[in-house]
Amino acid sequence: MDRSPPAGTRSGRRRSHPQPAYDESGIPQTPIDTSNINEHLSMGGRMFRRHNLPRTAGALLVMVLAALGLVAVEATAASAAVRTVYYDASRAGEFRTNFDQAATIWNSSVSTVRLAPRTPGNVTIYVDDGWPRAQPTGLGSGRVWMGRQAVNQGYDRTRIATHEMGHILGLPDRRTGLCSDLMSGSSAPVSCRNAYPSAAEASRVNSLFGGTLTAPTTGVSYTWTGAEDPGPFVVGGRPASENYPWMVYVSGCTGTLIKANWAVTARHCSTPSSVRVGSVNRTSGGTVVRVTRAVSHPSVDVKLLQLASSVSYAPAPIPGTSGAVGTATRIIGWGQTCPQRGCGSAPAVANELDTSIVADSRCIGINATYEICTNNTNGNSGACYGDSGGPQVRRINGVWNLIGATSRAGNNNPTCATGPSIYVDLPSIRSWINTQVGGLPA
């Protein structure tokens, strides 16, 4: 298709753009007669108890006696108290007992914080079919997902649960590959069954909750595989109006069939062991096919997945150009339909949204040569967390053609659909795709 639009359209978009009156003690400041303090000191605490000194002088005496070691003063600092973090496992499904076990393990390993069940809690635990992951919102608060994908691959349930709760308690991933390190996560062998933190990990949690270490920065998300948190879902759309034969569910992300045995998704998505092809329902229909190989693009957010066998569904053609500013497009994907991170679970049926290509200047940090700036329809609809890799399509001669794969938000705002989204421009790398897959369909 001709890609020479008039001024102000995508012909001029091939450039990058630069990137939010008592004192503090509460004791009245009046003169205090301390002339006979030495006498009191010489007679010890008994003399102090028999004299009715003014309250202010008594307070001063306690401080002096404490300094001399004659009385014991108990620490009352808030940091010395054991803090309770409540976790809500009511939505953890078949993994609830594993999180109860994780709480017991942490309670036996640390002394400055205690985990206890309660609904609602400081921590909410969910379950889905993706990778296990954690989103701390502060020290001792946040959200955890017990993703079945790691369990299906053989990782120990309780180790996963204790690991993800470790993130909530302030521990980052440390991919040492050692089974003895709880926070080594998936870098340890699948056979690893250790669900207890190491002495160093337990000590760090004690220091964080004891106030001797600065709490980690919030806003960081952790995924079991170490990949970035799965990106956008469609917000403000509607359930798929067609049974798109080229839709591919990629365990927490979305993809598109581009050849009988190849699919495309986002590079930052985890590589799954299998995908479901040919159904807009991520839980049924279509064909489940094993993934044998993944090929990532060297510079843009695209990954190709080779399937173990060819499927009979028609792939989506990739045209020669994506189109000019104003071109009508449609985006499709699975995931939550509310804009805040973690505000809901993914729907079984993919959602779609009609949108359009907009000027690159509306997207922060766009690589104008290889990416598309896609409108947030009505200012409140668009891509959001979870639909990374999902298709952006346009009709050419009545046929849906694949022009983009979801990458990220175009305004750096964690609340979805508040600005345009950035999609990888697949026509711009069509020759690379063609080479990798051994030739695209004509």
Tab-separated table of all heavy atoms in Angstrom, residues 24 50 60 73 75 104 130 173 185 220 225 231 263-264 296 306 309 338 358 366 385:
chain	number	residue	atom	x	y	z
A	24	GLU	N	8.997	19.607	72.723
A	24	GLU	CA	8.703	18.337	72.067
A	24	GLU	C	8.538	17.186	73.047
A	24	GLU	O	7.909	16.188	72.749
A	24	GLU	CB	9.806	17.999	71.052
A	24	GLU	CG	9.804	18.979	69.879
A	24	GLU	CD	10.888	18.672	68.896
A	24	GLU	OE1	11.649	17.722	69.139
A	24	GLU	OE2	10.970	19.366	67.869
A	50	ARG	N	10.048	7.816	98.482
A	50	ARG	CA	9.404	8.385	99.661
A	50	ARG	C	9.197	9.883	99.572
A	50	ARG	O	8.515	10.464	100.382
A	50	ARG	CB	10.244	8.065	100.903
A	50	ARG	CG	10.193	6.598	101.301
A	50	ARG	CD	10.568	6.428	102.733
A	50	ARG	NE	11.925	6.908	102.996
A	50	ARG	CZ	13.005	6.103	102.965
A	50	ARG	NH1	12.870	4.839	102.649
A	50	ARG	NH2	14.202	6.588	103.229
A	60	LEU	N	13.287	14.352	85.611
A	60	LEU	CA	14.716	14.565	85.487
A	60	LEU	C	15.493	13.519	86.275
A	60	LEU	O	16.510	12.997	85.832
A	60	LEU	CB	15.070	15.972	85.975
A	60	LEU	CG	16.557	16.345	85.924
A	60	LEU	CD1	17.071	16.254	84.494
A	60	LEU	CD2	16.760	17.746	86.479
A	73	VAL	N	15.557	1.362	81.926
A	73	VAL	CA	14.632	2.069	81.045
A	73	VAL	C	14.352	1.172	79.850
A	73	VAL	O	15.280	0.745	79.167
A	73	VAL	CB	15.225	3.416	80.570
A	73	VAL	CG1	14.253	4.109	79.627
A	73	VAL	CG2	15.525	4.303	81.765
A	75	ALA	N	13.073	0.182	76.144
A	75	ALA	CA	12.954	0.831	74.831
A	75	ALA	C	11.508	0.806	74.384
A	75	ALA	O	10.824	-0.192	74.512
A	75	ALA	CB	13.820	0.098	73.807
A	104	THR	N	3.961	-19.594	57.548
A	104	THR	CA	4.568	-20.324	58.668
A	104	THR	C	6.092	-20.326	58.547
A	104	THR	O	6.815	-20.136	59.540
A	104	THR	CB	4.037	-21.766	58.707
A	104	THR	OG1	2.619	-21.741	58.900
A	104	THR	CG2	4.680	-22.555	59.831
A	130	GLY	N	-0.689	-17.713	34.099
A	130	GLY	CA	0.590	-17.154	33.671
A	130	GLY	C	1.722	-17.563	34.590
A	130	GLY	O	1.669	-18.576	35.284
A	173	ASP	N	14.836	-10.177	43.411
A	173	ASP	CA	15.350	-11.419	42.854
A	173	ASP	C	16.880	-11.415	42.917
A	173	ASP	O	17.514	-10.371	42.715
A	173	ASP	CB	14.929	-11.572	41.388
A	173	ASP	CG	13.489	-12.041	41.251
A	173	ASP	OD1	13.085	-12.918	42.025
A	173	ASP	OD2	12.787	-11.518	40.370
A	185	GLY	N	14.803	-18.067	42.795
A	185	GLY	CA	13.643	-18.311	41.945
A	185	GLY	C	13.866	-19.374	40.899
A	185	GLY	O	14.383	-20.453	41.171
A	220	VAL	N	8.222	-1.565	41.519
A	220	VAL	CA	8.951	-2.618	40.818
A	220	VAL	C	8.115	-3.893	40.825
A	220	VAL	O	7.542	-4.256	41.847
A	220	VAL	CB	10.312	-2.882	41.492
A	220	VAL	CG1	11.053	-4.018	40.790
A	220	VAL	CG2	11.157	-1.623	41.485
A	225	THR	N	10.155	-15.829	36.044
A	225	THR	CA	11.175	-16.116	35.047
A	225	THR	C	12.226	-15.030	34.946
A	225	THR	O	13.217	-15.189	34.253
A	225	THR	CB	10.537	-16.270	33.663
A	225	THR	OG1	9.862	-15.049	33.353
A	225	THR	CG2	9.568	-17.429	33.639
A	231	GLY	N	2.958	-6.960	29.635
A	231	GLY	CA	2.417	-5.633	29.389
A	231	GLY	C	0.966	-5.638	28.979
A	231	GLY	O	0.247	-6.551	29.290
A	263	ALA	N	4.513	-18.015	15.161
A	263	ALA	CA	3.695	-16.943	15.741
A	263	ALA	C	4.609	-15.806	16.155
A	263	ALA	O	5.819	-15.995	16.368
A	263	ALA	CB	2.908	-17.459	16.950
A	264	VAL	N	4.046	-14.609	16.286
A	264	VAL	CA	4.809	-13.449	16.727
A	264	VAL	C	4.198	-12.908	18.011
A	264	VAL	O	2.980	-12.890	18.175
A	264	VAL	CB	4.855	-12.358	15.625
A	264	VAL	CG1	3.453	-11.845	15.295
A	264	VAL	CG2	5.746	-11.191	16.051
A	296	SER	N	14.343	-13.789	19.079
A	296	SER	CA	14.073	-12.397	19.423
A	296	SER	C	14.743	-11.451	18.441
A	296	SER	O	15.888	-11.686	18.006
A	296	SER	CB	14.567	-12.085	20.838
A	296	SER	OG	13.816	-12.799	21.798
A	306	GLN	N	8.523	-20.579	17.200
A	306	GLN	CA	8.363	-21.680	16.254
A	306	GLN	C	7.567	-22.794	16.925
A	306	GLN	O	7.849	-23.181	18.061
A	306	GLN	CB	9.721	-22.218	15.797
A	306	GLN	CG	9.589	-23.278	14.715
A	306	GLN	CD	10.930	-23.685	14.127
A	306	GLN	OE1	11.981	-23.426	14.720
A	306	GLN	NE2	10.911	-24.296	12.948
A	309	SER	N	4.526	-28.183	15.350
A	309	SER	CA	3.849	-28.694	14.156
A	309	SER	C	3.014	-27.588	13.533
A	309	SER	O	2.673	-26.604	14.189
A	309	SER	CB	2.955	-29.887	14.514
A	309	SER	OG	1.990	-29.515	15.480
A	338	CYS	N	-9.841	-3.235	33.248
A	338	CYS	CA	-9.790	-2.034	34.080
A	338	CYS	C	-8.377	-1.468	34.005
A	338	CYS	O	-7.430	-2.216	33.764
A	338	CYS	CB	-10.199	-2.347	35.513
A	338	CYS	SG	-9.360	-3.786	36.225
A	358	VAL	N	-1.914	7.447	15.123
A	358	VAL	CA	-1.793	8.890	15.363
A	358	VAL	C	-0.337	9.311	15.183
A	358	VAL	O	0.557	8.479	15.025
A	358	VAL	CB	-2.291	9.269	16.780
A	358	VAL	CG1	-3.794	9.014	16.902
A	358	VAL	CG2	-1.531	8.521	17.865
A	366	ILE	N	9.227	7.008	21.382
A	366	ILE	CA	8.960	6.104	20.273
A	366	ILE	C	10.157	6.035	19.325
A	366	ILE	O	10.865	7.021	19.112
A	366	ILE	CB	7.687	6.539	19.514
A	366	ILE	CG1	7.233	5.448	18.537
A	366	ILE	CG2	7.907	7.865	18.795
A	366	ILE	CD1	5.868	5.718	17.920
A	385	TYR	N	-1.930	-3.463	30.902
A	385	TYR	CA	-1.051	-4.541	31.380
A	385	TYR	C	-1.557	-5.935	31.010
A	385	TYR	O	-2.645	-6.316	31.407
A	385	TYR	CB	-0.878	-4.437	32.890
A	385	TYR	CG	-0.284	-3.136	33.323
A	385	TYR	CD1	-1.067	-2.150	33.898
A	385	TYR	CD2	1.060	-2.883	33.112
A	385	TYR	CE1	-0.519	-0.937	34.261
A	385	TYR	CE2	1.614	-1.674	33.470
A	385	TYR	CZ	0.821	-0.701	34.051
A	385	TYR	OH	1.357	0.501	34.403
